[in-house]
Amino acid sequence: MTGAQRTVVPDDPDSYNATNSSPHRTSNPNDNTSPSSQQEPMSKAEDNEGKGAPDSNNATAPVQSPDWTDDPSNPRNWPAFRKWTIIGLLVASNIIAAICSTAFEPALPSLMSSLHSGSSSLASFTISIYSLGYVLGPLFVAPVSEIWGRRYVLYCSFVAYCATLAVCGASKNFALFIVFRAIQGFAGIGFVLLGPAVVADLMPVETRGLSLSVMSAGPVVLGAMFPVALLIFRETYDPVLQARRKEVSEKVTSVRQGQLNIGNALALAWTRPLKLLFLAPIVPLLGLYSAVTHSIAFICFATVGTVFADEYGFGPGQSGMAYFGLTSGFIFCQISLGHFSDWYIRRVSLKHRGTKPEDRLPPIFIGATLLPIGLFWYGWSLEAHTHWIVPIVGSAFIAMGILYTYLPVQMYLVDSYTTFASSATGAATIIRSLCAAVIPLSANPMFQRLGYGWGNSLLAFIALGGVPVALLLIRFGERIRTNPRFQPSL
């Protein structure tokens, strides 16, 4: 079969096959109408495939036991309370990882003084070095989670994150702080990367948008989360659960009419993010698109506290107020985007008797429009030295633009590559985090030379380029994703 034909994925009826995607919409899982009444007659080969015959182009599609869909052990069939408890645990951990990436920015002058450094570029580096761990982490976290499951990767992330946080807090020299700050990012990627993957394991496509949106909210003390995780978190990854259910050795995790040894499984899993990065163009395209907004976000995070300290005389305590606009914008998006995305998916499903991953993309046009508006507003209100609330309101639009771009991309990758969601989001994260680690280093020199008005305007003009890109992704994303030449064997 070619990529232009219909493919039924036995283990995930509400998502697209990661390696042999179909341009047609997936059938509505809540629709009880028989397939024959919904679709045109299929060829014999297509009929066999619809019954679960192995796809010759998909060497890693997990073997599905016939009763797994209705099995109580299937994470999709767990009680809602159990699902949302696991998601809540990941939400708390995820947001702490995000907060720790920039929370000390208002106190940077004091931090740099205690570390015996006065360089403004190095001050920005203390923020952006965190993203270096996000560059390297996906190459390890995603493959391991797809071999041995999510649970133990998250346990290791809890321990490593708390340890590196303690070392950074006790550091007395700049080199030690930077090294463990990078390792902290490496540990934190476990929460960021596996959050969407666990949501894909637990939730059907109709409610996945709200779950992914919630995944970026809800701070709690991280140190208390590890014992809670030991009590609450259970494995959610289908192939691992099915292997355990059949009493197959955990070393045998990738199956195609046979079994692969652990060496081959590791090699296959570790190359999967790279295959998606270099052989599936839609993944790097979305990664580059979100990298622009992610870099702008880190520029804001790395400078907003010190900007308000310099321009409005905010002290270290007051500088926290500078983040009020960003926080408000993020919260608004988390509430609105998840509900809108799921509502839109249900509406499209009823209208077209199915959905496709591209149905997640329309909100990125909103984000591409709001981001430059926010940057112009924020920059020129600072330049004119208006009341401090005016640039804070502008920063709320920046936050909405950032999240209206980031979340639809995550939802799209999860829906497109559900079985290998951690590898797909990891491949995009590599590009996004590499840019976020380097580009913010230019923030202070840029603002010193151009001022806040033209400096933010430069960022806004770059962000404006995202408007036609967003339209092109919405219009041609499906064609790129389903092109038979761009279907790597995963």
Side-chain angles (χ1 to χ4, degrees), residues 4 6 32 41 71 105 150 184 232 268 299 307 311 330 370 373-374 390 429 448 450 472:
R6 176 178 177 275
N32 294 324
D71 194 292
E105 193 273 338
R150 324 291 194 198
Q184 186 182 19
I232 293 177
L268 185 66
I299 288 175
V307 163
E311 294 299 309
F330 286 139
L370 290 176
I373 291 174
V390 178
T429 299
Q448 289 169 4
L450 299 178
L472 289 173

Side-chain angles (χ1 to χ4, degrees), residues 71-90 151 155 198 202-203 229-237 241 244:
D71 194 292
S73 301
N74 186 338
R76 295 283 178 87
N77 299 326
W78 289 354
F81 176 78
R82 186 178 185 183
K83 292 181 182 180
W84 282 103
T85 302
I86 290 174
I87 290 174
L89 173 68
L90 289 172
R151 185 180 186 180
Y155 286 174
V198 170
L202 294 172
M203 295 297 186
L230 290 174
L231 295 173
I232 293 177
F233 194 79
R234 295 293 180 268
E235 185 54 61
T236 63
Y237 192 46
L241 288 171
R244 292 175 182 174

Side-chain angles (χ1 to χ4, degrees), residues 165-183:
L165 194 60
V167 173
C168 285
S171 297
K172 299 298 182 183
N173 65 78
F174 190 79
L176 183 65
F177 180 86
I178 286 295
V179 169
F180 277 88
R181 177 87 171 137
I183 298 174

Side-chain angles (χ1 to χ4, degrees), residues 408-469:
V409 168
Q410 292 289 93
M411 295 175 188
Y412 176 86
L413 291 173
V414 168
D415 283 0
S416 298
Y417 302 94
T418 304
T419 302
F420 304 121
S422 58
S423 287
T425 56
T429 299
I430 292 172
I431 300 175
R432 187 169 60 242
S433 300
L434 186 61
C435 294
V438 176
I439 293 177
L441 299 178
S442 65
N444 285 324
M446 177 183 68
F447 289 133
Q448 289 169 4
R449 175 169 294 189
L450 299 178
Y452 295 119
W454 284 111
N456 282 284
S457 293
L458 176 61
L459 297 177
F461 289 131
I462 295 172
L464 275 172
V467 175
V469 174

Side-chain angles (χ1 to χ4, degrees), residues 175-473:
L176 183 65
F177 180 86
I178 286 295
V179 169
F180 277 88
R181 177 87 171 137
I183 298 174
Q184 186 182 19
F186 186 90
I189 193 62
F191 311 128
V192 176
L193 202 60
L194 294 187
V198 170
V199 167
D201 295 339
L202 294 172
M203 295 297 186
V205 69
E206 292 82 5
T207 58
R208 194 176 290 160
L210 177 61
S211 306
L212 286 169
S213 181
V214 169
M215 188 58 66
S216 53
V220 189
V221 177
L222 183 66
M225 299 311 297
F226 180 55
V228 177
L230 290 174
L231 295 173
I232 293 177
F233 194 79
R234 295 293 180 268
E235 185 54 61
T236 63
Y237 192 46
D238 263 2
V240 170
L241 288 171
Q242 291 187 63
R244 292 175 182 174
R245 183 173 180 268
K246 296 176 181 179
E247 298 182 351
V248 178
S249 170
E250 287 187 6
K251 292 184 178 181
V252 185
T253 56
S254 292
V255 182
R256 179 185 179 255
Q257 298 178 344
Q259 300 176 336
L260 300 177
N261 62 41
I262 189 63
N264 290 338
L266 283 171
L268 185 66
W270 273 323
T271 58
R272 191 175 294 131
L274 297 177
K275 286 181 179 179
L276 288 168
L277 196 57
F278 294 107
L279 300 179
I282 194 65
V283 175
L285 280 174
L286 289 168
L288 285 170
Y289 179 71
S290 60
V292 174
T293 57
H294 204 65
S295 299
I296 292 173
F298 263 77
I299 288 175
C300 290
F301 296 152
T303 60
V304 67
T306 51
V307 163
F308 278 83
D310 295 341
E311 294 299 309
Y312 295 98
F314 282 20
Q318 294 171 310
S319 292
M321 279 295 296
Y323 291 90
F324 180 75
L326 291 170
T327 303
S328 300
F330 286 139
I331 291 174
F332 174 80
C333 284
Q334 289 157 3
I335 294 172
S336 62
L337 182 58
H339 283 291
F340 169 79
S341 184
D342 287 341
W343 168 82
Y344 185 73
I345 285 290
R346 287 192 293 268
R347 183 183 177 204
V348 169
S349 180
L350 289 173
K351 183 177 180 180
H352 299 285
R353 306 189 69 79
T355 63
K356 58 182 180 179
E358 286 71 25
D359 295 329
R360 297 289 189 185
L361 291 179
I364 67 175
F365 178 74
I366 301 174
T369 305
L370 290 176
L371 184 56
I373 291 174
L375 287 166
F376 282 125
W377 185 330
Y378 175 74
W380 287 107
S381 60
L382 284 174
E383 189 76 16
H385 206 76
T386 61
H387 189 275
W388 56 267
I389 195 62
V390 178
I392 285 180
V393 172
S395 68
F397 284 90
I398 294 176
M400 287 187 282
I402 290 168
L403 214 56
Y404 266 103
T405 300
Y406 171 75
L407 281 178
V409 168
Q410 292 289 93
M411 295 175 188
Y412 176 86
L413 291 173
V414 168
D415 283 0
S416 298
Y417 302 94
T418 304
T419 302
F420 304 121
S422 58
S423 287
T425 56
T429 299
I430 292 172
I431 300 175
R432 187 169 60 242
S433 300
L434 186 61
C435 294
V438 176
I439 293 177
L441 299 178
S442 65
N444 285 324
M446 177 183 68
F447 289 133
Q448 289 169 4
R449 175 169 294 189
L450 299 178
Y452 295 119
W454 284 111
N456 282 284
S457 293
L458 176 61
L459 297 177
F461 289 131
I462 295 172
L464 275 172
V467 175
V469 174
L471 292 174
L472 289 173
L473 285 172

